[in-house]
Amino acid sequence: MQVIKIIINNFRLLKHTEIDLEKELSLIIGKNNCGKTSVLTALTKFFGDQGNANNFNYDDFNIDFQKELFECLERDVTDWGKKRCQGIELYVFIQYNETDNLANISSLMLDLDPNNKTVVLKVEYALNDISVVTLKDAFEKYYERFKNNKNSKLTKKECYDKFMHSKSRQFFKIVYKAILFDKIAGKICPDKFRVIDKRKVELTKIISIKYIAAKRETMNKDNDGSLSGLSSKYYERIKEDDENPVIQSFEDALVNTDVSLTKVYDGLFENVISKVKKFGGIKENETIVKIISTLGQQQLLKDNTTMVYEAGSHQLPESYNGLGYLNLISIIIQIETMLAEFRCDNKVNAKPADINLLFIEEPEAHTHPQMQYIFIKNIKDLLKDGSKGDDIRNKINLQTVITTHSSHIVAECDFDDIKYFQKITPTNVISKNMRSLEAEYKDENDPENKRFKFLKQYLTLNYAEIFFADKVILYEGDTERILLPAIMKKIDQEETDKTKLPLLAQNISLLEAGANSQLFDKFLQFTGIKTLIITDIDAGKEQRTMDKNGHEKIVIKGTEVRKGNTTSNNALKYYYSLPLKTWRKTILNFFVTRNSEQKILISENGSWKQSKHGKLMVVYQTEEQKDENKYYPRSFEDAFLFYNREFIIKNIDGFNSLKNVKQIDEKVGGTSEYKYTAYELAENCIKSKPAFPMDILLCSEPDENTDFSNWQIPPYIREGLLWLRED
C-alpha cells in the first residue's frame, strides 16, 4: 500500500498542485520560495499529531482564494455554493494490492470493482454555504465600527484582512471525505463522496506522517549538547525492549550504581541527616531520613550523557565538530527515532500505520559536497533497513520525501525520483515528474532515445545546479566560459540604469552546450527557465562534391558572412525552423536580417516561434560598425578581434595564445587599411582558443568605472545579456 499522488488546493503558493510520489524516495527540488516546504506543512496540519482547525490561519489561504472570498462577500454569497473549491483541500491517492490488509481503508472504498485498487481520502478546511452567510453578517457588523469612525482610514479590504486574520477559524471547519476514483476515466469524482467520522475511523492507522525540519538543533557553540540530548529521545523509543541484552545491561548497571552511590551518600550526607534528626526530634527505632540514589534512565541520558569524538588519544566535546558533521549525526539519530515510532517498537498490541510518510527538509545544511553525495547514496539503504522489521520489530510501508537545494544530492539521485517545482504564476506552483521528460524526447528518428539519455547523464554529472536556477545561459565553448563572468561584471559596472538587478546578483546558471543547444530544447520547455543561447552564425557556402561511392552530395564550407549563403549551425536552424518555413531567400540572409525582438522565441505545441513575450533568446553575431568600418563576424573570436584590434596590438606581448602576430598589425601598402580581415585573423592567428580569453583577462586594465576598461564587448553578447537581465 502506498500514496501515489497528493493534490493540494488553495494552500499558500499551492493553488492547484499535483505531486506524484514514488514508492520509496521522492526528491522535491526547485528554486527558492516555490512551495516545497508548503507540501509538508499542509500534510502535517491535516494529519499531524495536533492536526485540527486551530493549526490553520488566514495567511495559509492562497492569495487568489482570499480575493475570491472577499469579492463574494461584496456581491452575493449565494455564489459561494457554486464554487467547486471552498477552502484548502488535500487529496491523498492511495493504491493497494491483493496482499494488503484493507481493514483500515475499507471506509474509503466506494467502488465495488475489484480491479479498481485506488482510494482517495480528501481533507478540506472549508467554508460551507451556511457558514459563509454567518461570516458575511459578522464581517458587516465588524466593518460598521470602522466605517462610522471618522478617525479610521482603513479601506473595506483592509478591514476584511484584519477581520479574517483574527476570526477565520470560527467559520472554517475541517471535514474528512472518501472520494470516488473513476478508474476508467483516471480521475476523481468530487460529487461522489462519503463523509468520514473521525470518531469512528482512526486515520492515524491509515497514514502516519513525521518530518525532520530544516531547522535542526545542531550548533557548535561551546557547551552545546544538542546531540547529547537526542540520545535520551532515542532511548525513549527502545527502552521497552525487555529482550534486548544491551537494555538489560544498562538497567543492571544503574541498579548496581544506585547501591554504590547510596553507600557513598550515607557518608556524604551524614552530618546533614544528623542535624535533621535533632530538629525533627526523631527517636531511636522511629522513621528516619535517608538519601538514596535513584538514577532514571532517560534523565540520566539527557543530563549526564556527553557525545564526544576521538582525535587520537583525546576525547573532544561534540561542539568541536563541524556543523556539517553535527547535522549528519542529528539526521541519522532522528531517522532512527522516527523509524522506531513508525514501527511502534515495543508498544504492546500497537500496529504500524498502513502508510508511513517521512519528510526530510534540506539534509545538505552545513555539509560539504562529498558528504552530500554520501548521504543520498546511503539514505535509501538506511530507510530500507529500518522498514524491514524482524521478529521484534514491525515491518512498515515507508515512503520518504526529501526537499533539497543541493545540486550534489540531485547529481547522485535517481533521475526518475525527481519532482520539479515550478512557479508558473506569483500565486501558483506546479509539480513536474522528471520521468515524464523522457516521453517528451521520444522521436521516431531516435528509437533508443539517445538525446534524452545524453541529457540525463550530462545534467546530473555536470550541471545539476540548473534545476535551481532562475535563468540560464547556454554557451558554445571554453572562450565564452572563461569570459562570460567578466563580461557580465563589465555590463553591471557600465550600465547606468540602477533599477535593474545586476546580472551577477541574479541566480544565473552557465551551461556549456557546444554547438548542440538544440538538445536542451525539451528540457527548457519543461522547466520554463528564462534562457539565453549564445552561439555563432557559422556562415558557410554550399558546395557540390562527390562521396567515396561516387555519389553527389552537398557540403557546407565555412566562409565569411558576406560570401556565404547558409549556416552550418544546426541549433540555429532548429530553433528557427518554424519561421524559416515561410522564408523565400537564402537561409543565411534570414539570420542576418533578424532584429533583437525577432530573436526572442516562445514554445508553442512543441515548436518555437517568434514572440517578444518568449523566455528564450538566441543571439549570434551581427553586423558591427567601428568608426567608419562595417563588418559582419562569423564567430566570437573574429567579432572580438574586429572591435578590439588596437587593444591586442597594444598588449601583443601578453598574448601567447596567438601566432602569426605580424598579420594583426599589417597594413595594405603604405595606407592605414589593415591587410587582413578579422575573419582571416581568427583563422590564421589564434593558436589556442582556451588560452585566448585568459590572455584577454590578463591584459585587462581597470578604471574608475569598470575592471575591464580597455576592451569592448561584442554587441551581440551585450544584446543578449541585457535581455536576460530583465525580469
Side-chain angles (χ1 to χ4, degrees):
M1 194 178 300
Q2 68 176 100
V3 176
I4 58 171
K5 180 189 290 187
I6 293 170
I7 298 177
I8 302 174
N9 296 327
N10 287 333
F11 184 76
R12 301 182 183 177
L13 279 176
L14 311 177
K15 183 177 181 178
H16 179 73
T17 306
E18 299 186 14
I19 310 117
D20 293 328
L21 295 187
E22 302 301 317
K23 187 174 183 178
E24 294 183 1
L25 176 66
S26 301
L27 191 73
I28 297 179
I29 65 172
K31 294 175 283 189
N32 286 324
N33 300 316
C34 66
K36 298 187 296 293
T37 300
S38 295
V39 176
L40 164 63
T41 307
L43 284 164
T44 53
K45 286 198 175 206
F46 279 125
F47 290 110
D49 295 335
Q50 304 298 319
N52 57 69
N54 291 327
N55 278 343
F56 291 91
N57 57 66
Y58 183 61
D59 291 323
D60 285 330
F61 291 101
N62 181 266
I63 292 175
D64 288 345
F65 179 84
Q66 295 179 17
K67 292 177 181 177
E68 288 174 7
L69 179 55
F70 176 71
E71 291 169 358
C72 187
L73 295 176
E74 282 280 80
R75 299 192 306 270
D76 187 353
V77 292
T78 56
D79 293 342
W80 191 249
K82 301 174 184 176
K83 292 186 174 295
R84 178 68 75 178
C85 188
Q86 298 176 328
I88 297 171
E89 296 180 335
L90 170 67
Y91 294 85
V92 181
F93 292 69
I94 299 171
Q95 193 174 77
Y96 59 90
N97 56 45
E98 292 83 357
T99 61
D100 290 322
N101 186 338
L102 307 181
N104 295 327
I105 65 167
S106 60
S107 59
L108 306 182
M109 302 173 70
L110 304 181
D111 191 350
L112 298 179
D113 182 358
N115 295 316
N116 187 357
K117 292 181 172 53
T118 301
V119 296
V120 180
L121 172 63
K122 178 188 180 185
V123 195
E124 58 187 37
Y125 181 62
L127 181 69
N128 61 35
D129 296 351
I130 298 174
S131 296
V132 73
V133 175
T134 308
L135 169 61
K136 181 179 177 65
D137 292 341
F139 170 62
E140 291 296 341
K141 291 178 182 177
Y142 180 87
Y143 178 58
E144 285 295 322
R145 291 161 43 196
F146 293 92
K147 187 173 67 173
N148 299 323
N149 187 343
K150 295 180 179 180
N151 296 322
S152 175
K153 297 182 180 179
L154 292 176
T155 65
K156 190 171 185 177
K157 178 62 168 61
E158 290 170 336
C159 282
Y160 164 79
D161 290 335
K162 287 178 65 69
F163 175 81
M164 294 300 292
H165 274 100
S166 62
K167 306 292 185 181
S168 62
R169 292 173 180 171
Q170 297 179 15
F171 308 99
F172 286 82
K173 305 299 178 185
I174 287 183
V175 180
Y176 296 82
K177 297 177 179 178
I179 306 293
L180 177 67
F181 179 78
D182 188 334
K183 183 177 181 296
I184 298 174
K187 62 181 182 180
I188 57 174
C189 303
D191 297 329
K192 298 180 179 180
F193 62 88
R194 176 194 298 148
V195 176
I196 295 175
D197 188 345
K198 277 192 72 180
R199 295 170 299 179
K200 298 180 180 179
V201 180
E202 294 186 59
L203 295 178
T204 53
K205 291 183 178 181
I206 299 175
I207 184 167
S208 176
I209 298 174
K210 301 186 184 299
Y211 70 96
I212 300 173
K215 295 181 179 179
R216 289 179 279 275
E217 294 181 356
T218 53
M219 60 184 75
N220 56 0
K221 294 181 179 179
D222 288 346
N223 301 318
D224 176 67
S226 300
L227 292 180
S228 300
L230 286 174
S231 63
S232 65
K233 295 180 181 178
Y234 178 72
Y235 176 76
E236 179 68 16
R237 300 299 168 191
I238 66 172
K239 67 180 182 178
E240 302 299 330
D241 186 1
D242 296 331
E243 303 298 321
N244 191 328
V246 177
I247 301 294
Q248 293 176 357
S249 297
F250 182 45
E251 292 177 349
D252 291 345
L254 286 180
V255 171
N256 294 331
T257 303
D258 280 337
V259 173
S260 300
L261 286 177
T262 297
K263 291 180 180 179
V264 174
Y265 291 170
D266 286 342
L268 187 64
F269 298 103
E270 182 180 6
N271 186 42
V272 174
I273 297 299
S274 64
K275 292 178 179 179
V276 170
K277 288 180 179 180
K278 290 180 181 179
F279 277 85
I282 299 173
K283 300 178 181 179
E284 196 73 23
N285 298 322
E286 290 185 351
T287 303
I288 61 171
V289 177
K290 188 177 179 69
I291 295 177
I292 64 173
S293 174
T294 55
L295 294 174
Q297 298 101 320
Q298 189 181 4
Q299 199 64 34
L300 179 71
L301 286 167
K302 183 179 180 180
D303 297 332
N304 301 285
T305 304
T306 302
M307 186 171 290
V308 301
Y309 74 99
E310 292 187 350
S313 59
H314 300 280
Q315 290 184 336
L316 302 176
E318 72 173 74
S319 60
Y320 281 39
N321 275 291
L323 283 173
Y325 200 63
L326 293 176
N327 177 68
L328 185 63
I329 296 171
S330 171
I331 289 176
I332 292 172
I333 293 176
Q334 289 186 73
I335 288 175
E336 288 292 321
T337 302
M338 290 177 181
L339 288 174
E341 292 176 356
F342 280 139
R343 293 190 304 260
C344 300
D345 283 2
N346 306 302
K347 291 183 178 179
V348 181
N349 299 324
K351 294 292 183 182
D354 295 329
I355 299 167
N356 301 274
L357 290 181
L358 174 62
F359 284 79
I360 305 174
E361 273 193 299
E362 302 174 21
E364 68 273 12
H366 310 298
T367 56
H368 59 77
Q370 185 60 33
M371 191 174 288
Q372 293 171 33
Y373 285 129
I374 293 171
F375 173 83
I376 202 64
K377 276 184 175 180
N378 292 287
I379 187 65
K380 280 190 176 182
D381 290 336
L382 176 65
L383 296 169
K384 189 177 292 184
D385 181 65
S387 63
K388 281 181 180 177
D390 50 34
D391 294 338
I392 301 172
R393 306 182 303 178
N394 291 309
K395 183 180 180 180
I396 57 174
N397 287 325
L398 178 67
Q399 293 177 259
T400 305
V401 180
I402 296 176
T403 66
T404 184
H405 293 113
S406 168
S407 60
H408 307 289
I409 288 178
V410 173
E412 279 302 317
C413 180
D414 189 332
F415 204 72
D416 291 343
D417 292 342
I418 297 175
K419 315 297 169 184
Y420 180 75
F421 271 38
Q422 178 188 352
K423 186 186 289 186
I424 56 174
T425 71
T427 59
N428 194 25
V429 169
I430 61 173
S431 170
K432 295 182 176 180
N433 300 317
M434 294 307 297
R435 177 189 289 109
S436 64
L437 184 59
E438 183 173 4
E440 297 290 328
Y441 272 89
K442 285 186 177 178
D443 190 303
E444 60 183 13
N445 298 319
D446 183 17
E448 297 181 5
N449 216 351
K450 292 181 179 180
R451 293 191 304 155
F452 175 74
K453 291 177 181 177
F454 159 79
L455 178 80
K456 180 178 175 179
Q457 186 177 40
Y458 190 72
L459 291 180
T460 53
L461 290 179
N462 301 290
Y463 294 101
E465 70 270 11
I466 194 175
F467 291 108
F468 308 98
D470 293 321
K471 301 174 182 179
V472 64
I473 300 173
L474 302 185
Y475 59 88
E476 286 225 354
D478 290 334
T479 302
E480 292 88 345
R481 174 179 59 82
I482 296 169
L483 273 184
L484 268 173
I487 290 174
M488 292 164 74
K489 186 174 184 179
K490 184 173 170 68
I491 288 176
D492 287 341
Q493 293 173 336
E494 291 177 348
E495 289 298 315
T496 57
D497 187 356
K498 301 304 180 184
T499 63
K500 307 295 184 183
L501 192 65
L503 285 162
L504 292 180
Q506 300 189 42
N507 184 16
I508 301 174
S509 186
L510 306 182
L511 191 152
E512 184 176 352
N516 299 300
S517 59
Q518 69 272 21
L519 295 176
F520 298 87
D521 80 306
K522 301 297 183 186
F523 177 79
L524 298 176
Q525 295 177 49
F526 184 85
T527 58
I529 299 175
K530 187 175 184 180
T531 304
L532 173 66
I533 297 177
I534 301 175
T535 190
D536 295 330
I537 195 168
D538 289 335
K541 192 172 182 67
E542 292 182 347
Q543 294 184 350
R544 297 182 181 276
T545 185
M546 306 293 287
D547 62 20
K548 60 182 182 180
N549 298 317
H551 299 131
E552 187 179 79
K553 67 176 184 179
I554 297 176
V555 296
I556 299 174
K557 186 176 180 180
T559 185
E560 294 181 70
V561 175
R562 62 186 177 89
K563 298 178 181 178
N565 61 7
T566 189
T567 175
S568 58
N569 191 317
N570 291 322
L572 284 179
K573 295 176 186 176
Y574 180 87
Y575 285 108
Y576 290 96
S577 60
L578 202 60
L580 271 171
K581 288 181 179 179
T582 58
W583 187 254
R584 300 293 180 228
K585 301 177 184 179
T586 65
I587 292 176
L588 187 62
N589 187 250
F590 170 86
F591 292 107
V592 167
T593 56
R594 297 300 91 188
N595 59 37
S596 291
E597 192 171 289
Q598 291 171 325
K599 295 175 183 175
I600 304 171
L601 304 174
I602 192 170
S603 173
E604 192 173 275
N605 298 322
S607 300
W608 297 93
K609 72 172 189 177
Q610 296 170 2
S611 171
K612 63 180 180 180
H613 304 296
K615 286 190 173 184
L616 174 69
M617 187 178 194
V618 186
V619 296
Y620 47 86
Q621 291 75 31
T622 56
E623 187 175 53
E624 318 287 5
Q625 181 160 348
K626 184 174 180 289
D627 301 325
E628 296 180 356
N629 301 314
K630 287 186 177 182
Y631 176 70
Y632 205 117
R634 184 180 187 271
S635 65
F636 170 83
E637 286 76 17
D638 63 336
F640 189 89
L641 284 162
F642 174 74
Y643 256 103
N644 298 284
R645 196 167 192 157
E646 288 74 20
F647 159 71
I648 293 174
I649 293 171
K650 183 179 178 181
N651 297 278
I652 195 66
D653 291 339
F655 278 85
N656 298 316
S657 57
L658 299 178
K659 60 182 180 179
N660 302 323
V661 294
K662 291 183 179 180
Q663 294 184 13
I664 299 174
D665 195 24
E666 191 171 346
K667 304 292 196 314
V668 178
T671 68
S672 60
E673 182 184 351
Y674 288 113
K675 182 177 180 179
Y676 295 96
T677 66
Y679 170 78
E680 291 170 322
L681 295 181
E683 292 292 307
N684 301 334
C685 299
I686 294 180
K687 179 171 59 179
S688 172
K689 282 192 176 183
F692 182 61
M694 296 292 293
D695 290 343
I696 294 172
L697 295 178
L698 289 169
C699 294
S700 298
E701 295 177 359
D703 63 10
E704 64 276 9
N705 297 316
T706 174
D707 294 346
F708 313 98
S709 66
N710 52 339
W711 52 268
Q712 297 183 57
I713 303 169
Y716 75 97
I717 295 181
R718 181 183 291 275
E719 169 192 41
L721 290 174
L722 289 178
W723 171 83
L724 189 68
R725 189 179 67 159
E726 301 288 329
D727 293 333

